[in-house]
Amino acid sequence: TTIGLAVIALTIVFVTLALRQRRASTPFRYRLRQLPVSGRVLVTFLVLILGLVHIFALLEVYLQSRVINASAEEYFFYMKPTKLAATTHAHLFGHVTMYSLVAVLFLFTGVGEVFKTLVLSSAISGGLWDVTSWWLIKYASGQFEALSVLTGAMASLGFLTMVIIILHEIWLTKETVTDV
C-alpha cells in the first residue's frame, strides 16, 4: 500500500511538472538529471531496494522449484487454488506497482520513445505473463514452466534496463546533454 501511494504521488508530481513546463511551441524537456541531489538519492534508494526485491524473488523461485520441490510443476501441483489466487493477487499488485513506479521515472530519461515503450512494456507484460504461467503450469501442463522462465526473465531484464538507465542518467549524465 505504501508503494502504491508512492506511485500515485510521484505520478502526480511528474504530471504537474509536465503540465507546468509544457508549451505548445516548446518540447517537454524535464529530465531526471535535473533533480537535486536529495531527489537523486531518493530515486537511487528506491530503485536499488526494488532491485533487492528481484534478487530475493529469484532466490525464492530457486528454493521453491529446485530445493524444496523438484520443479515448478510440483510446487504448483501441491498449491491449493485459494493460495494460488492469493499469490496471484499479491504478485499482480506488486508487479504493476513496482514496474509502473520505475517506468514513471524511466519516462523522464533521455532515451528515445520507442525504446522506452519496448522496455517498460517488456517489464510490465513479462510480469503479467509470468503470473499467468503459474495457472497454466497448475491446470494445463508443467511445460509452461518454460513460459514462466522466459517471461520472468523478460520482466527482470526490462526492470534492470530501466534501473541502469535511470541511475546512469541521474549520476553520470551532464545537464547539457541533448536528448536523442
Side-chain angles (χ1 to χ4, degrees):
T1 319
T2 304
I3 293 176
L5 293 174
V7 170
I8 293 168
L10 274 173
T11 302
I12 291 169
V13 167
F14 282 123
V15 169
T16 302
L17 286 170
L19 293 174
R20 285 182 51 198
Q21 294 188 12
R22 180 102 182 159
R23 294 186 191 111
S25 61
T26 307
F28 179 67
R29 294 284 180 208
Y30 184 78
R31 297 289 181 230
L32 284 177
R33 65 178 168 264
Q34 295 171 310
L35 286 171
V37 172
S38 58
R40 293 174 188 212
V41 169
L42 172 65
V43 168
T44 301
F45 276 122
L46 176 71
V47 298
L48 291 179
I49 290 170
L50 291 176
L52 284 174
V53 169
H54 274 81
I55 291 169
F56 281 102
L58 287 171
L59 176 61
E60 181 187 10
V61 166
Y62 172 75
L63 292 172
Q64 291 289 359
S65 65
R66 299 295 180 255
V67 176
I68 297 170
N69 298 286
S71 65
E73 181 178 21
E74 182 178 306
Y75 172 69
F76 287 112
F77 177 81
Y78 290 109
M79 185 180 282
K80 293 182 179 182
T82 53
K83 175 69 174 169
L84 183 55
T87 303
T88 297
H89 171 260
H91 277 79
L92 287 178
F93 179 79
H95 282 232
V96 76
T97 303
M98 178 171 52
Y99 295 141
S100 295
L101 179 57
V102 174
V104 166
L105 295 168
F106 184 61
L107 292 175
F108 291 90
T109 63
V111 298
E113 287 299 310
V114 172
F115 185 74
K116 284 179 189 175
T117 303
L118 290 173
V119 170
L120 67 90
S121 295
S122 172
I124 294 171
S125 65
L128 172 64
W129 281 107
D130 183 32
V131 172
T132 302
S133 73
W134 305 343
W135 289 85
L136 294 170
I137 291 167
K138 180 165 182 68
Y139 292 110
S141 168
Q143 293 183 353
F144 283 103
E145 185 174 350
L147 177 64
S148 182
V149 170
L150 176 68
T151 56
M154 190 170 95
S156 294
L157 288 173
F159 172 82
L160 182 62
T161 301
M162 289 189 289
V163 167
I164 289 170
I165 291 170
I166 288 167
L167 292 175
H168 181 270
E169 179 145 330
I170 64 175
W171 293 111
L172 302 175
T173 302
K174 301 289 185 209
E175 177 68 34
T176 57
V177 173
T178 304
D179 298 327
V180 178

